[in-house]
Amino acid sequence: MSSTETAWITVALLGKPRGNRGELTAIALSSQPERFQELREVLLAGPDRSMPLEVESTWFHDGVLIFKFRGVDSISDAELLARFEVRIPQSERIALDPGEFFESDLIGCAIVDHRSGESLGRVSGWQDAGGSGLLVVDGDWLIPFARSICVEIDPAARRIAVELPEGLKDLNRS
């Protein structure tokens, strides 16, 4: 893996050391736990540096993701990596089922009215709100990410066509 690749995806956030062999707890950012068993090389990104590391093993302990990296063999070694992001090249993302999308692929998509073609803004963020989640449009208003509203979703074309329920746009801007 080349650390000069430009497109990286964060798949976990490292927490505190666990045990005395250099293991670290982590917050998994993937809803598919099997994704972590396949990791071999990752880029750890911290506030002031990044470094490639080999993943020796991963497992879940009481629902908490645990990482063991090759060469990180003590509590003091692990403490240096706390709060680092675990990243992989975008090209190594897991395949999604049809109709599923990565949140990061939706950011930047144009939102257009399906009926009129009117531009309504761009997706500037994502909010987990239970259920289907919410698209943040221009940092100003929210659209539920539901099939009944987001009727055409084409991240490759950077476009989402919507059929907004009556009053949704006005409700958000109040």
Side-chain angles (χ1 to χ4, degrees):
M1 172 189 336
S2 167
S3 61
T4 60
E5 291 187 47
T6 57
W8 295 91
I9 302 297
T10 301
V11 295
L13 302 173
L14 295 178
K16 63 183 181 180
R18 177 197 175 272
N20 60 4
R21 293 177 291 191
E23 301 159 343
L24 287 127
T25 62
I27 297 170
L29 301 179
S30 173
S31 61
Q32 299 179 337
E34 63 276 6
R35 120 72 62 231
F36 298 100
Q37 294 173 345
E38 301 166 6
L39 294 179
R40 294 297 165 247
E41 284 191 62
V42 297
L43 181 73
L44 294 189
D48 57 351
R49 64 187 168 120
S50 296
M51 70 190 93
L53 272 182
E54 184 179 345
V55 176
E56 195 172 296
S57 61
T58 62
W59 68 94
F60 284 85
H61 176 73
D62 292 333
V64 176
L65 177 60
I66 308 295
F67 273 90
K68 173 65 177 88
F69 298 102
R70 190 156 322 281
V72 178
D73 298 315
S74 68
I75 293 172
S76 58
D77 289 345
E79 285 174 337
L80 297 174
L81 303 177
R83 295 183 301 283
F84 273 60
E85 294 180 2
V86 179
R87 297 180 180 176
I88 61 168
Q90 186 171 0
S91 62
E92 292 181 15
R93 289 193 300 189
I94 55 175
L96 296 176
D97 292 332
E100 291 185 339
F101 305 93
F102 289 107
E103 293 169 18
S104 60
D105 289 345
L106 301 175
I107 308 297
C109 285
I111 300 291
V112 297
D113 185 283
H114 184 252
R115 293 181 191 106
S116 70
E118 173 192 3
S119 175
L120 302 174
R122 290 206 171 272
V123 178
S124 60
W126 174 268
Q127 284 187 8
D128 276 324
S132 60
L134 299 167
L135 298 172
V136 179
V137 180
D138 294 333
D140 189 33
W141 58 293
L142 306 172
I143 296 176
F145 190 64
R147 286 276 176 210
S148 60
I149 295 173
C150 300
V151 295
E152 292 177 14
I153 304 163
D154 189 352
R158 311 300 296 146
R159 182 179 182 279
I160 301 172
V162 297
E163 291 182 2
L164 298 179
E166 186 71 32
L168 178 67
K169 193 172 177 182
D170 296 330
L171 175 69
N172 273 278
R173 298 198 186 248
S174 301

